[in-house]
Amino acid sequence: MSLYTDKVMDHFENPRNVGVIEDADGIGEVGNPLCGDIMKMYIKVEDDRIKDVKFKTFGCGSAIATSSMATELIKGKSLDEALELTNKAVVEALDGLPARKIHCSVLAEDAIKAAMVDYYNKSGRPMPESLVGFEPHED
Ligand code: FES
């Protein structure tokens, strides 16, 4: 039996929202120094919503699957809703991940948060409380 759920395999084999948004309103790049994987997220914001989101992940299959699922979970959502996205929600939406792959989902949550921080910085809008002092996880 595979270690990975059908949903993980599906999002790994057919990742959604792969690519770059040229005129992105926010870009977040995070990496995990232990495994060396890197994730980059692009968001386009309109009327306080995530109008579009794309990602590029240089990383393991779980990093690709979690990036893909994370983008699906925030696409079309309000900024406030997107802010609430947790790595746990991403893992649940994928029907689970092996314990030593949980950090891949943390990278996805952090990449989205980093893109949102960039958006608030660039737009000059007040940073939501939960993003103030945001630092990506180190492991
Ligand atoms: Fe590090 Fe997957 S092994 S992100």
Side-chain angles (χ1 to χ4, degrees):
M1 213 191 81
S2 165
L3 270 180
Y4 295 105
T5 67
D6 290 347
K7 280 198 185 156
V8 171
M9 291 313 292
D10 178 34
H11 279 263
F12 166 60
E13 280 167 6
N14 310 292
R16 327 302 199 253
N17 309 308
V18 174
V20 170
I21 299 176
E22 293 297 343
D23 58 345
D25 297 312
I27 302 176
E29 182 171 336
V30 295
N32 182 302
L34 297 179
C35 65
D37 290 2
I38 298 168
M39 219 178 257
K40 202 162 176 181
M41 287 274 174
Y42 302 80
I43 55 170
K44 190 85 199 145
V45 178
E46 214 175 277
D47 298 331
D48 278 342
R49 290 199 170 264
I50 308 283
K51 183 154 186 278
D52 199 10
V53 50
K54 294 211 182 294
F55 78 93
K56 285 261 179 170
T57 290
F58 179 83
C60 73
S62 300
I64 291 166
T66 54
S67 317
S68 168
M69 182 54 93
T71 58
E72 286 286 272
L73 291 175
I74 64 161
K75 200 170 181 177
K77 295 281 164 63
S78 69
L79 289 170
D80 288 347
E81 287 167 328
L83 260 184
E84 311 228 312
L85 181 79
T86 59
N87 79 297
K88 203 166 163 267
V90 175
V91 172
E92 278 171 15
L94 288 168
D95 295 336
L97 270 181
R100 63 196 177 84
K101 289 287 170 180
I102 294 295
H103 79 271
C104 318
S105 67
V106 172
L107 213 52
E109 176 191 326
D110 281 356
I112 285 173
K113 294 230 162 96
M116 293 184 76
V117 166
D118 187 49
Y119 163 73
Y120 282 103
N121 281 333
K122 282 184 179 146
S123 66
R125 300 180 65 184
M127 189 78 70
E129 195 72 28
S130 63
L131 285 180
V132 174
F134 164 76
E135 292 282 352
H137 296 75
E138 292 272 302
D139 53 26

